[in-house]
Amino acid sequence: MQPYIYLGGLPPVPMYFIMGLSGFLFAVTIALIKRKAFGLRARAVLRIAALAIICAVIGARILNACVQIFLRGGEPGFWTAENWIQIFKNGGVLYGGLFGCVGMAALGAKLCRVDIRSTLNVLAYAMLGFASLARLGCWCAGCCYGIELASGARFPVQLFEAGYCTVALLAFLIIKPERRWPGMPLLSVNFIAYSAGRFILEFFRGDASRGVWLLSTSQWIALALIALAVVWLRKSKYKRTPQAS
């Protein structure tokens, strides 16, 4: 793990920030590559991406704050300014970033006068690209760590999640579901794929308790997202017979 990069006499740069920025740039690159398949303009994609990343950061921190209130709101000193400064410095919850990103992407599509469904389909690709690099930032920073193994080392759950997202992205790029199943809401498939993997990997997390009733907060969110995505898929009107690409 390498939490910081030191560049001469400059202040240290957190690897978490570097990998998060790299993930964003990678996601934008993927969106620009896939935009033609969905009839989107490059300028619109860039504008929506700029809005979405801002709301993703805000959403990640808001959800983290909500989780902290739910789990630790009754602890002495929780509501002090020092504690809240530390909470917001510690980063955010990935699912909160996802919700903020999706919400602003839909609103941004409306503002840019482009098709919302096409925008969300491109976002399905881009989000996997972002997560594949952003989780490497967690590994570098030492956060979101895994359970302790018999050897004393920690299970590299961050690397497994990054690898899982990379494989999911490659599957999307190779299969090209927008061609095989026209009209399929790809974001719902993204929700199912990511949430299923995240649900399993949460059992290998070793940081402090983050949930209730045997499951972590992220696992409950994963189950809710999977249920929502299944309903979304069932109600969507797409050609269920695969077409030749």
Side-chain angles (χ1 to χ4, degrees):
M1 293 181 290
Q2 181 68 34
Y4 297 94
I5 285 183
Y6 298 89
L7 303 172
L10 298 176
V13 182
M15 280 297 296
Y16 188 86
F17 170 77
I18 292 176
M19 297 311 300
L21 178 60
S22 299
F24 171 67
L25 295 176
F26 184 40
V28 172
T29 300
I30 293 171
L32 289 173
I33 291 173
K34 294 298 299 183
R35 69 175 180 83
K36 291 183 179 180
F38 299 98
L40 297 178
R41 304 185 306 272
R43 182 175 296 181
V45 169
L46 293 174
R47 287 178 177 176
I48 294 170
L51 294 172
I53 189 61
I54 294 172
C55 286
V57 173
I58 294 173
R61 278 162 171 72
I62 290 177
L63 184 55
N64 181 50
C66 293
V67 171
Q68 293 301 319
I69 292 172
F70 179 75
L71 296 178
R72 301 174 45 227
E75 294 179 1
F78 178 82
W79 296 98
T80 62
E82 294 80 4
N83 182 60
W84 276 97
I85 290 173
Q86 189 61 41
I87 287 175
F88 282 103
K89 283 177 63 177
N90 286 342
V93 176
L94 189 60
Y95 272 123
L98 182 150
F99 299 146
C101 182
V102 171
M104 181 47 69
L107 178 59
K110 195 173 184 65
L111 294 174
C112 293
R113 298 179 181 179
V114 297
D115 185 60
I116 294 178
R117 289 175 296 181
S118 296
T119 301
L120 296 182
N121 282 338
V122 171
L123 184 62
Y125 280 91
M127 285 171 51
L128 289 173
F130 173 79
S132 66
L133 291 181
R135 274 308 188 195
L136 294 179
C138 295
W139 180 76
C140 292
C143 62
C144 306
Y145 52 84
I147 58 176
E148 186 173 352
L149 302 175
S151 62
R154 292 282 181 180
F155 180 79
V157 65
Q158 312 99 317
L159 299 183
F160 273 84
E161 184 169 339
Y164 177 78
C165 290
T166 301
V167 171
L169 174 60
L170 290 175
F172 266 61
L173 292 171
I174 293 171
I175 295 173
K176 298 179 180 178
E178 68 274 9
R179 291 187 182 180
R180 293 177 178 271
W181 298 278
M184 174 184 283
L186 301 187
L187 193 59
S188 64
V189 181
N190 176 298
F191 285 169
I192 293 172
Y194 176 76
S195 296
R198 179 68 182 271
F199 182 88
I200 295 172
L201 287 172
E202 280 287 308
F203 287 113
F204 297 91
R205 288 278 288 268
D207 39 346
S209 175
R210 294 161 287 110
V212 292
W213 302 317
L214 303 179
L215 299 178
S216 70
T217 303
S218 292
Q219 285 176 314
W220 287 115
I221 294 175
L223 291 177
L225 269 183
I226 290 173
L228 173 65
V230 169
V231 173
W232 186 2
L233 269 177
R234 289 181 64 87
K235 290 191 174 183
S236 64
K237 296 179 181 180
Y238 68 93
K239 296 181 181 180
R240 289 171 171 76
T241 302
Q243 292 186 351
S245 59

